Amino acid sequence: MVKISPSILSADFANLARDIEKIASADYVHVDVMDGLFVPNITIGIPVVKAIRPTTALPLDVHLMIDRPVRYVEKFCDAGADIITCHVESDTEENTREALAKIHAKGKKAGVVVKPKTPANAVLPFLDDCDIVLVMTVEPGFGGQSFMADMMPKVAQIREWIDGRGLCCELEVDGGVGPATRDVCVEAGANVLVAGSAVYGAEDIPARIALLRG
Ligand code: DX5
Ligand code: ZN
């Protein structure tokens, strides 16, 4: 089954609780955390994760686009994150491993993310310890960018490794995913689709979530 994780980056930040309620039929709530260092934008932090936690029963899928996330993963867990993904480019292999272990020690799900220019094999050192792998289909930093179809071989390769190893690991795509691009993502092997503008820009949000789920 395909899961939908709408990104609240495209929500109205002055009405976050209301806009999270609008995506109640989704599977996860995707929370884009940016620090202005790892990416050239600053968005949501720990206090906001804590504030939105009681507004929804859905798991919070927290995408950390921050430098050396190992410093903060436990705080995000305590704030109410259910799934936390860390970019492999944001720290050393050793520290990324430690970040995953810290998230697991808190009883939460952990995963790694790869930017478009990062090869598929960058996930290999972590794959056995991941509950989820996220493949970026835009350069991280902003919503509303164009989908990079050339990331599909990377998704397919990672799907092959997950299935080949018999792992229970989800495979997520993020960036430019909408009605016109969801099929290629699913065909390549993604089972979690992040969508910001395609969900919040829709006239009928529950219908759009259903359409994306397929
Ligand atoms: C980009 C974020 C995405 C973004 C997706 O750095 O990680 O989650 O919100 O937005 P859309 O779906 O509009 O490309
Ligand atoms: Zn994201």
Side-chain angles (χ1 to χ4, degrees):
M1 188 196 115
V2 174
K3 296 181 181 175
I4 307 302
S5 189
S7 168
I8 57 169
L9 191 57
S10 296
D12 176 358
F13 279 10
N15 292 285
L16 267 184
R18 181 201 69 191
D19 276 11
I20 289 171
E21 178 59 35
K22 287 182 183 171
I23 57 163
S25 64
D27 299 279
Y28 301 147
V29 178
H30 188 80
V31 183
D32 287 305
V33 176
M34 307 186 191
D35 68 352
L37 263 178
F38 182 70
V39 287
N41 197 5
I42 302 177
T43 54
I44 293 167
I46 295 157
V48 177
V49 171
K50 196 172 175 187
I52 64 176
R53 175 64 288 172
T55 72
T56 178
L58 295 176
L60 299 181
D61 167 28
V62 177
H63 174 193
L64 296 182
M65 286 162 274
I66 65 175
D67 187 50
R68 290 170 288 145
V70 67
R71 299 175 295 156
Y72 292 105
V73 287
E74 287 166 316
K75 290 193 173 74
F76 278 100
C77 289
D78 293 341
D82 299 283
I83 303 162
I84 299 184
T85 51
C86 301
H87 273 268
V88 299
E89 307 88 355
S90 62
D91 210 334
T92 61
E93 184 176 324
E94 190 188 350
N95 285 350
T96 299
R97 220 179 268 294
E98 191 185 330
L100 297 176
K102 281 182 165 171
I103 299 163
H104 281 143
K106 289 279 185 185
K108 310 296 181 111
K109 292 189 171 166
V112 293
V113 193
V114 280
K115 296 207 276 187
K117 291 189 187 79
T118 303
N121 62 16
V123 307
L124 281 175
F126 313 105
L127 198 55
D128 292 329
D129 299 315
C130 284
D131 303 294
I132 190 162
V133 169
L134 171 52
V135 175
M136 293 305 299
T137 43
V138 297
E139 283 297 337
F142 301 91
Q145 302 182 75
S146 299
F147 178 76
M148 298 168 76
D150 52 337
M151 293 299 113
M152 294 305 98
K154 192 194 287 188
V155 173
Q157 173 66 81
I158 296 171
R159 167 55 64 195
E160 208 177 298
W161 288 329
I162 290 171
D163 291 350
R165 295 186 187 191
L167 299 172
C168 182
C169 177
E170 300 204 287
L171 185 51
E172 183 174 40
V173 285
D174 181 8
V177 178
T181 54
R182 59 85 61 202
D183 283 356
V184 286
C185 295
V186 173
E187 280 157 21
N191 78 298
V192 183
L193 310 179
V194 175
S197 40
V199 167
Y200 280 105
E203 204 50 48
D204 182 340
I205 289 177
R208 178 57 54 88
I209 289 170
L211 178 70
L212 290 173
R213 197 180 272 129

